[in-house]
Structure formats: C-alpha cells, structure tokens
Amino acid sequence: MNLSRAEIIDLLQDETHQEQLFAKADAVRKEYVGDEVHLRGLMEFSNICRNNCMYCGIRRDNKLLGRYRMSAEEMVTTAHKAADMGFKTIVMQSGEDMHFTADVMCAIIEQIKKFDVAITLSIGERSYADYKAFYDAGADRYLMRIETTDKDLYHRLDPGMSWQHRYECLLMIKEIGYELGSGIMVGLPEQSIESIADDLLFLRDLGIDMAGIGPFIPHAQTPLKDATGGSLELALRTMAAMRLLMPDINIPATTAMESLHPQGRIKALRAGANVVMPNITEGEYRKLYELYPGKICVDDTPLHCRTCIGAKIMSIGRTIGQGYGGHNGKLPHQ
Ligand code: SAH
C-alpha cells in the first residue's frame, strides 16, 4: 500500500484509532500471507560482543555479565533437536564474537543444513567475503536491524560504529542473494515519530523480506538504564504500519513485545505479524543472553516454548506453517 510520510506519521501518532489500524493490518496480513504462522527456532549461541551499544545488555563494557560461547558441537546438537521438534528454520544469533571466523561458522552451517532446515544468521557486521562464504555454505537468510535511520542518534547510541557501514552491509547481504531481514527499535531516547516514519520508508525502499520491530527496553547495566523505553502500543502501531506498507513480507511478533505484556506476541499476531521466533537456547545460556531485562521464558526448555506458543497460535484460529516460510516461496538455495 502506498502511504506518504505524513500518513505514516498520523498512523504512528493516533492512539485513539489504533484498533482500526490493527484490524486493517490484520486483514492485509490475512489477504497477502494467509493464516499460517511460521516458527523460527532462535539459538543464542554467544553473548560475547566487540561492540558497546548503549542500549544493549551484552555490550562489551558490561562487566557484570557472565559470558558464554557455545561449542560447535552444542550448536549442532541444539539445531538437531529443534529440527526434530519440527522447526523448519534455525536462527543463529550472537554478539559480534570474532571467534566465529568464516571457517568456523561455515563448518557449523554445513552440518546444520543436513537437518533440512533454512538457516538465518544474525551475527552483525562482517566483511563481504564472510557474508559470501556463509551464503555458499548454506545460510539462506540474514537478519540485521538498522536500529534507527536517524544517523546522529545511531552514532550516539552505537559508539565506534558507522551507520553508513551498517547500511552497506545490508546492501551486500541483499546483493549476495540472502533473504534480508532488518528492522528497528522504537522508543529509543530522543527518537522522534518522524524518524520512525523515515525508518519504515527506508525499510520499504531497501526491499527487505522481513521486518523485526520491537520496543527498546532499558537495561540496568547500561548507560541508558534511566531511559523511559518504548511502549508496546507504539511498537504495535509501527509494526502494523509496516504491514500496510509492505503487505507480503514476513513480520515477527517480537520477544521484546511479549516481555512488556504477557499477551504481547498474540496482540502482534492480530495486528499484522505472521512469524514467531521461539527460543531454542538451552540451560543457563538463556539468562545470560540478556539484551534487555524481563526477557521471557528464561527458565523454560525449547520443547516447552514450542508447545506453549503452538497452543497460543492455535487458540486464535491460526495454523503453524509447515514449510520454510520464506518470503516469495522458494529459499535462495532451493
Ligand atoms: N549482533 C547482532 C545481534 C544483535 S542483538 C547484530 O548486530 O545484528 C539483536 C537485536 O536486539 C538488536 O539488533 C537490537 O535491535 C535488539 N536489542 C538490543 N538491546 C535491546 C534493548 N535494550 N531493548 C530492546 N531491544 C534490544
């Protein structure tokens, strides 16, 4: 749907008519991508990070956090169990942990590909050669949020990083042939509604296949500990507007939404979302992958999460996708 910047700003601001926006986004979702909800098993395989993002609990300078890195064997076993549970996509996410060189990562990707799953990587900024190597090893999708398109805000929040470089990474990922996921946080300190509208137009122009939108939640062990944080409502309005703007892409009901409200993901699934990313990380690692406080399900097992979210999805009359659930049908490697 063609929406002007001014129209998007209206949608984002209008609290009184948000139920109409959610209903519209829900109808567009149903028309373009149907009732299937695609599940992606999220493996958080390392919380070691070279970056120091002001909002993020696993930032380099958070010395209070116990750090971990899963072994290649643990990663393959975790993915295998998830595939046996029926997951058709495994998302591998971590901090920017340079232990995982292209060679190390490719060997893991090749083994996990044997389980007949799509692989999404979410490991941040790398070189073109690395992105190409991961892709050739079998990675299908890449997820990296631009976080905000307000460049000044980005540079204040992500010290030592370059917005332009992150953007160029997204272009490389797309050019190589991955399905590209990106997205933003809403409710960042000093982020304006106008800039969120610009974010949505940026994502549309980039031609993303998936948009992850979540509220910023302040973490006590970061410089932004006293910030206000984003509201679930604004995050939902942003997500719903994204659905109107890009009717057929994949849009997850994000974990951060559920962390703000026990029904956050269900609300999102009824306001334009068609994907959920249940956690398949095991044991203590879940707690330690603390991007923000109040993260849900930290004491649960992968099977529990799979069963719980499956029941919730069915309770609202939706079905679980049985395929890989890519944007536009086929996977890049099929
Ligand atoms: N290193 C990878 C993964 C980053 S963590 C990368 O650079 O892409 C995944 C996402 O969590 C981030 O992109 C950010 O949007 C989100 N996130 C980080 N800290 C957060 C916070 N305090 N509140 C909400 N979301 C947060």
Side-chain angles (χ1 to χ4, degrees), residues 24-298:
K24 181 97 186 274
D26 195 44
V28 170
R29 184 272 309 156
K30 192 176 172 70
E31 181 184 345
Y32 284 83
V33 295
D35 280 338
E36 283 192 338
V37 176
H38 303 292
L39 299 182
R40 324 292 200 197
L42 176 65
M43 185 194 323
E44 303 155 328
F45 66 89
S46 167
N47 70 354
I48 296 169
C49 191
R50 64 177 171 178
N51 291 325
N52 218 11
C53 305
M54 306 294 261
Y55 44 79
C56 185
I58 70 169
R59 68 200 300 270
R60 189 179 67 225
D61 283 356
N62 182 3
K63 307 286 185 216
L64 297 171
L65 179 69
R67 302 283 171 169
Y68 73 92
R69 172 187 290 143
M70 283 167 63
S71 69
E73 201 184 352
E74 279 178 295
M75 290 170 69
V76 174
T77 307
T78 301
H80 198 176
K81 287 194 219 165
D84 282 348
M85 264 178 247
F87 284 103
K88 300 301 286 175
T89 296
I90 306 294
V91 181
M92 287 192 257
Q93 190 178 81
S94 68
E96 289 198 5
D97 180 352
M98 292 305 122
H99 163 82
F100 293 93
T101 59
D103 284 350
V104 171
M105 213 54 216
C106 287
I108 296 167
I109 293 167
E110 279 162 17
Q111 291 199 61
I112 294 180
K113 268 315 257 190
K114 294 184 187 147
F115 308 140
D116 183 26
V117 287
I119 293 184
T120 304
L121 297 181
S122 179
I123 62 175
E125 296 178 30
R126 306 287 294 233
S127 67
Y128 184 92
D130 282 6
Y131 288 137
K132 181 80 173 82
F134 304 150
Y135 183 81
D136 290 341
D140 303 279
R141 309 188 182 118
Y142 207 99
L143 173 57
M144 186 163 72
R145 290 182 176 175
I146 193 69
E147 316 293 4
T148 171
T149 56
D150 177 336
K151 297 181 187 60
D152 291 338
L153 178 60
Y154 182 89
H155 292 128
R156 283 200 299 279
L157 294 179
D158 292 17
M161 296 176 76
S162 149
W163 188 91
Q164 184 64 24
H165 185 258
R166 200 167 181 82
Y167 173 51
E168 281 162 16
C169 285
L170 293 172
L171 295 179
M172 288 190 251
I173 292 164
K174 199 173 155 65
E175 195 237 40
I176 289 169
Y178 287 94
E179 283 197 17
L180 174 62
S182 191
I184 57 160
M185 281 177 284
V186 304
L188 291 166
E190 295 170 60
Q191 181 188 42
S192 67
I193 292 287
E194 288 75 11
S195 97
I196 300 176
D198 289 334
D199 296 344
L200 297 187
L201 292 168
F202 167 86
L203 295 171
R204 196 261 322 264
D205 293 343
L206 184 58
I208 54 166
D209 302 290
M210 181 273 214
I213 291 163
F216 157 60
I217 306 175
H219 187 297
Q221 290 154 16
T222 66
L224 296 183
K225 58 179 188 301
D226 297 323
T228 309
S231 71
L232 176 64
E233 281 68 29
L234 179 59
L236 289 171
R237 290 198 297 277
T238 308
M239 188 200 74
M242 186 82 242
R243 171 61 73 198
L244 302 188
L245 211 52
M246 300 188 81
D248 70 354
I249 62 168
N250 282 318
I251 300 185
T254 54
T255 311
M257 289 179 173
E258 189 102 343
S259 300
L260 290 186
H261 188 287
Q263 296 297 319
R265 287 180 300 180
I266 292 299
K267 285 175 186 277
L269 287 171
R270 294 178 131 164
N274 71 321
V275 168
V276 178
M277 297 164 63
N279 200 322
I280 59 165
T281 316
E282 303 212 27
E284 289 303 299
Y285 300 149
R286 274 189 190 216
K287 275 193 198 69
L288 294 173
Y289 198 80
E290 193 185 44
L291 305 173
Y292 48 81
K295 192 181 139 193
I296 54 164
C297 313
V298 287

